[in-house]
Amino acid sequence: MTASLFAQVPFEQYRIVDTADPDEARQRIGQVLNSYRLQVIRGRILHSRLDLVPCGRLSLLKSRHGYGADISIDPDCQCLDGYYLLVLPTQGQAVFYFDGGRIEVSPDKAFLISPGRRFHFSVSHDYEQVLLRLDRTAIAEAWHRLTGHDQAPDICFDAVIPLYTTSWQALQPMLQWVARCSGLSQDQNITQAALLAQIEMLVATTLLLHQPHNMAAYLWPAPPPSAPQAMRRAQAYMLEHLGERLPVAMVASHCGLSVRRLQALFHDECGQSPLQWLRMQRLQAVRQALQAGNADKISAVATGFGFTHLGEFSRAYRQAFGETPQQTRN
């Protein structure tokens, strides 16, 4: 599937490495990506090839390194320096090792390496891949647009992107645009530069919004609370603001619920509406204040707990407690 995305990209026109000499290949590939150490595990290296197609600040690469041998590659600094690398295997198998973990890579999944994450990997004799290089500054700019924060944190993405997930489904159209615009330079004209910048921003934004990462909690909305959690949160909020005007819509918004859902929860759990429950809490607060010997006028106590119509307050109080507020005080 990943191979078909880039079938129309003229990689061969942008070939920068084409050699049977492993040392020459390692030196020239290390100038484009990180320098690394190479070890032959099995077989003999017959050929190495690397194509580098520009797409504005993005780079689209096609690599067949060490063809003919199973090899292991260990970056010198053990991590990427200043860029993210989306790995799209097109044939063969690879195994990546992260912090003691082992992840098998094949053409049925994509793979995302974040800068600063230590890794090394081994590949089969027939392994081939397409790479998309995305500068760290692109992720930082997308983060700024999404959050308004000038300083972007170090964002580390989950490495694996299976091709059946929503992350891949969201990313695939962006990669199609990269393929369509491959070979274009942002230096040719203003319109083209704007298009390439927008594609880069779309790729970075799509990753931030759809691929899990260490800062996702700051971008992704929390799941709606369960019914008991929502009830406790609504009741606690109303108790904290007994003396204030509290439209039910404000309470629902605080809990992340619709008004209808909040009302349904109260009817199911309490047998009354949210405002009926709130009025009873206010009445009980007034009663406790009067029993405690509050010296303020009864009208002032009632107003302090949110009652603005004293006649309605008196009727509701008598109905709830079988006596008047004055009788409670006495």
Side-chain angles (χ1 to χ4, degrees):
M1 182 182 295
T2 55
S4 62
L5 275 174
F6 306 101
Q8 304 304 315
V9 177
F11 284 106
E12 64 280 357
Q13 297 179 20
Y14 297 88
R15 190 148 296 162
I16 60 173
V17 176
D18 191 2
T19 180
D21 185 340
D23 292 331
E24 179 187 355
R26 183 171 60 84
Q27 180 181 6
R28 299 187 64 183
I29 292 173
Q31 293 171 351
V32 177
L33 301 168
N34 282 46
S35 59
Y36 59 92
R37 296 179 295 277
L38 182 147
Q39 179 182 358
V40 176
I41 301 172
R42 186 183 303 108
R44 183 170 65 89
I45 294 177
L46 303 176
H47 196 266
S48 294
R49 189 176 68 200
L50 180 67
D51 308 325
L52 174 58
V53 186
C55 183
R57 291 198 305 177
L58 295 170
S59 299
L60 194 61
L61 304 96
K62 188 173 184 180
S63 168
R64 192 172 77 171
H65 187 23
Y67 192 78
D70 297 340
I71 62 174
S72 69
I73 293 177
D74 190 2
D76 286 342
C77 64
Q78 295 188 314
C79 60
L80 300 183
D81 183 19
Y83 62 91
Y84 294 82
L85 201 61
L86 180 64
V87 181
L88 304 163
T90 56
Q91 69 178 43
Q93 306 290 324
V95 179
F96 281 75
Y97 299 89
F98 282 96
D99 304 323
R102 182 179 186 274
I103 301 175
E104 295 185 1
V105 178
S106 59
D108 65 350
K109 65 186 68 170
F111 195 73
L112 184 58
I113 307 175
S114 301
R117 190 169 187 187
R118 303 171 72 86
F119 73 98
H120 64 278
F121 62 99
S122 59
V123 302
S124 63
H125 66 279
D126 58 344
Y127 182 71
E128 187 176 76
Q129 62 186 355
V130 172
L131 306 171
L132 179 66
R133 175 173 170 153
L134 179 68
D135 284 349
R136 184 181 231 155
T137 55
I139 293 293
E141 290 170 7
W143 176 268
H144 170 69
R145 291 196 181 192
L146 289 169
T147 66
H149 298 159
D150 292 332
Q151 187 66 34
D154 291 331
I155 294 175
C156 183
F157 290 94
D158 286 6
V160 180
I161 311 178
L163 302 192
Y164 56 82
T165 61
T166 56
S167 297
W168 175 255
Q169 292 170 3
L171 187 60
Q172 188 175 0
M174 304 302 105
L175 297 178
Q176 289 172 340
W177 269 106
V178 172
R180 290 177 63 180
C181 295
S182 59
L184 298 183
S185 170
Q186 59 185 356
D187 299 328
Q188 292 183 7
N189 59 66
I190 296 176
T191 301
Q192 191 165 288
L195 173 62
L196 294 171
Q198 188 64 26
I199 291 172
E200 181 187 46
M201 183 57 61
L202 286 171
V203 171
T205 302
T206 300
L207 288 173
L208 285 172
L209 292 179
H210 294 278
Q211 179 64 7
H213 54 84
N214 61 322
M215 302 300 292
Y218 291 89
L219 294 177
W220 297 3
S226 64
Q229 289 176 328
M231 282 288 298
R232 288 195 296 270
R233 187 171 182 179
Q235 290 172 343
Y237 181 72
M238 288 189 282
L239 289 174
E240 290 173 3
H241 300 83
L242 275 181
E244 303 173 21
R245 181 177 176 273
L246 278 180
V248 68
M250 182 183 298
V251 180
S253 176
H254 175 77
C255 300
L257 301 173
S258 67
V259 171
R260 180 175 295 182
R261 175 61 175 156
L262 182 66
Q263 290 173 331
L265 285 177
F266 268 84
H267 278 293
D268 292 342
E269 299 292 327
C270 305
Q272 55 189 177
S273 72
L275 293 184
Q276 288 173 331
W277 182 90
L278 175 61
R279 184 179 68 171
M280 179 53 67
Q281 306 313 306
R282 286 171 166 166
L283 289 170
Q284 289 177 346
V286 172
R287 183 174 177 82
Q288 290 172 2
L290 295 177
Q291 289 174 334
N294 190 310
D296 292 340
K297 291 183 177 180
I298 292 175
S299 59
V301 176
T303 301
F305 285 107
F307 290 102
T308 57
H309 193 290
L310 296 180
E312 290 181 0
F313 158 71
S314 297
R315 287 192 295 271
Y317 191 95
R318 178 187 287 272
Q319 185 178 1
F321 304 116
E323 61 184 16
T324 66
Q326 187 64 51
Q327 289 172 326
T328 299
R329 166 167 282 178
N330 293 338

